[in-house]
Amino acid sequence: MDTIQDLFEHGLEDIYHAEHQLVDALEDLEENTERDEIAEAFAEHREETQGQIDRLEEVFEMFGEPPEKEECEGIEGLIEEYEEFESMDPAQEVMDYHNMAAAEKTEHYEIAAYGNLIPLADQLGMDEAADLLEENLREEQDALDELKELTETYAMDAIPAE
């Protein structure tokens, strides 16, 4: 790990693994959410995530490397945290809200990952790769905005205060 390219490849492998993990996690979120508009948001973002994986594979091809995954401990930790909460058998209204909060956490992680990869791609003169990563970043930012809106408009009175 001595060069900008090494750092770029490491980050790319990390987010590639994360996006694969999130395809499955988004399916779980969708299945574990009762409110239709929230479940639909997870389904839509799951489809977007598959497109993001496709763009990441294009980036790998640009520098002649096969797509590889580096275990993304950050996403693994967020998924583990979600599974622990789910095992507590929360009320459905609480679960729906928690699903949105858990998804927001992953969006912040992904936004940071793409935000860190783009300047590395620029530094390496990989303008087309940077453009693909920026497209993924914009989708993640849009997904976060949608989740925030859903969270802000969630009927909290459905959850007891104490």
Side-chain angles (χ1 to χ4, degrees):
M1 194 66 57
D2 296 324
T3 67
I4 290 173
Q5 181 155 341
D6 292 340
L7 189 57
F8 180 74
E9 287 180 30
H10 175 77
L12 191 62
E13 291 169 358
D14 183 82
I15 194 66
Y16 186 65
H17 180 264
E19 296 292 12
H20 274 88
Q21 293 297 105
L22 291 172
V23 166
D24 294 335
L26 285 162
E27 184 174 16
D28 291 343
L29 289 171
E30 178 187 359
E31 290 173 1
N32 292 332
T33 301
E34 192 170 273
R35 297 203 181 181
D36 289 340
E37 66 182 327
I38 301 168
E40 287 170 17
F42 293 139
E44 288 170 17
H45 192 52
R46 185 172 189 264
E47 288 178 30
E48 278 182 345
T49 301
Q50 189 55 58
Q52 293 166 0
I53 290 170
D54 294 343
R55 284 190 287 278
L56 290 172
E57 289 172 352
E58 286 182 56
V59 173
F60 276 106
E61 288 174 19
M62 288 176 190
F63 61 89
E65 293 290 328
E68 285 189 34
K69 298 175 191 171
E70 165 108 10
E71 184 174 357
C72 179
E73 293 181 24
I75 289 298
E76 294 291 340
L78 291 171
I79 290 171
E80 183 180 318
E81 180 181 283
Y82 175 80
E83 290 169 349
E84 284 177 28
F85 184 84
E86 184 183 29
S87 73
M88 294 179 205
D89 196 30
Q92 186 60 53
E93 297 83 15
V94 173
M95 191 73 214
D96 284 359
Y97 188 87
H98 184 266
N99 287 348
M100 291 184 296
E104 280 187 41
K105 289 177 185 180
T106 64
E107 293 307 321
H108 283 286
Y109 183 91
E110 292 170 285
I111 288 167
Y114 287 116
N116 287 302
L117 281 171
I118 293 165
L120 296 175
D122 287 337
Q123 187 69 32
L124 292 168
M126 299 178 71
D127 296 339
E128 194 175 337
D131 291 343
L132 291 169
L133 296 169
E134 284 178 21
E135 189 173 346
N136 284 7
L137 176 61
R138 280 190 299 276
E139 286 181 356
E140 299 299 0
Q141 289 168 330
D142 290 346
L144 179 60
D145 290 344
E146 182 179 3
L147 284 165
K148 284 182 177 180
E149 186 176 312
L150 287 168
T151 303
E152 290 169 3
T153 61
Y154 190 80
M156 295 298 266
D157 57 340
I159 302 173
E162 294 181 33

